[in-house]
Amino acid sequence: MNQLAGLPGRESVTEKARSNWMLISCNKSAMCWVHKPCLAIGCKTRQGLLFTLVIAFICGLIVVLLMILCLASSNWLTAEKFRQGLWEQCVDNDAVQPLPFGIKVKPGCYPAREEAYIQWAAALCVITLLLDILATVMTGMGLCSKDPTRKYTLYRFALYVMVGALLSVLIALVIYPACFASEIEKSNRSVWEFGWAYGVAWGSAIFLFGAILLLLCDKETEEIYYKERTITHENGDSKA
């Protein structure tokens, strides 16, 4: 009669113990005993990992929406009757003169000033958007793929790309106010506030960070979640 090696205090498999084990194919040339409770735990774990990956995919989609909103808005910095964004600056009606930074324009929206920090922040936010789209697409492809190796590769690349996206948006969020502070004396306004678009950009950074953490949880996705036991035959031969 076959025996299960590695079971402490038991030299043979009783009928009661055998009911807790199941014989499955490990590979083309071997069979393995799988402990049914461990197999069930493995299935639940894989389902949990699938759930985290779906949430990571949703976070990626939310970041796309948030980045589009902050890129399209001129509400990064606001002052009395004036607001400045990455691509344009707007002057409201009845704006107090002189206008910030010596601007002489009528009420309305105009292209943003050609300041290096504004251009760099805009470029980094565009890079963040593109990288996040790429990472989200790769995550979605991984969810749809049935090839374990392909899934692992897609999730790994998605993780690295999202890290790049997070670094890009963080740099943009730091250099924009830091460099603006150096020219605030010539802004002709005593009070400046961050607009909602700047806050949305921070929100996208938070969702990116969350997506990265969720992808990190998939580090062991393709690990086998059951315990293999050696089958010992009456003739002394064994298979792993």
Side-chain angles (χ1 to χ4, degrees), residues 4-231:
L4 294 181
L7 292 177
R10 311 223 23 205
E11 305 222 351
S12 63
V13 180
T14 64
E15 292 300 325
K16 184 177 180 181
R18 186 184 292 277
S19 64
N20 291 326
W21 295 79
M22 179 172 61
L23 189 64
I24 68 170
S25 174
C26 294
N27 50 54
K28 295 181 179 179
S29 60
M31 300 293 290
C32 292
W33 285 103
V34 179
H35 197 228
K36 290 181 180 179
C38 292
L39 183 61
I41 293 172
C43 292
K44 292 179 180 179
T45 305
R46 293 177 70 86
Q47 291 174 357
L49 288 173
L50 178 62
F51 178 75
T52 62
L53 291 169
V54 171
I55 299 300
F57 176 76
I58 294 174
C59 286
L61 294 178
I62 294 175
V63 172
V64 172
L65 176 61
L66 295 180
M67 290 305 301
I68 291 176
L69 287 175
C70 71
L71 281 168
S73 175
S74 60
N75 280 274
W76 276 63
L77 283 172
T78 61
E80 184 180 2
K81 302 293 184 177
F82 182 85
R83 59 186 186 274
Q84 174 179 287
L86 298 177
W87 309 102
E88 66 178 6
Q89 55 193 12
C90 298
V91 179
D92 296 337
N93 293 324
D94 301 324
V96 178
Q97 298 292 333
L99 295 175
F101 311 108
I103 300 173
K104 296 180 180 180
V105 295
K106 296 180 180 180
C109 292
Y110 304 89
R113 295 176 297 121
E114 295 183 355
E115 295 290 336
Y117 75 92
I118 298 177
Q119 296 174 342
W120 273 103
L124 288 169
C125 285
V126 171
I127 291 173
T128 298
L129 175 61
L130 295 178
L131 290 178
D132 178 67
I133 291 175
L134 177 60
T136 303
V137 169
M138 287 192 292
T139 303
M141 292 173 63
L143 289 170
C144 296
S145 176
K146 296 182 179 180
D147 182 358
T149 302
R150 178 178 173 82
K151 290 168 74 74
Y152 180 84
T153 302
L154 287 170
Y155 294 149
R156 290 300 91 193
F157 276 108
L159 173 62
Y160 300 145
V161 173
M162 278 196 175
V163 170
L166 177 61
L167 292 176
S168 295
V169 72
L170 288 178
I171 294 173
L173 291 170
V174 171
I175 66 172
Y176 192 88
C179 294
F180 175 79
S182 64
E183 60 175 3
I184 197 171
E185 292 183 357
K186 57 181 180 180
S187 65
N188 297 323
R189 294 290 188 273
S190 57
V191 178
W192 287 88
E193 297 177 347
F194 290 112
W196 63 264
Y198 184 79
V200 167
W202 272 109
S204 67
I206 293 173
F207 276 101
L208 272 172
F209 183 72
I212 290 171
L213 290 181
L214 291 171
L215 286 174
L216 282 173
C217 292
D218 186 58
K219 186 176 181 180
E220 304 298 333
T221 298
E222 303 311 322
E223 180 182 355
I224 301 175
Y225 292 99
Y226 55 79
K227 297 179 181 179
E228 296 181 359
R229 290 294 182 267
T230 303
I231 305 173

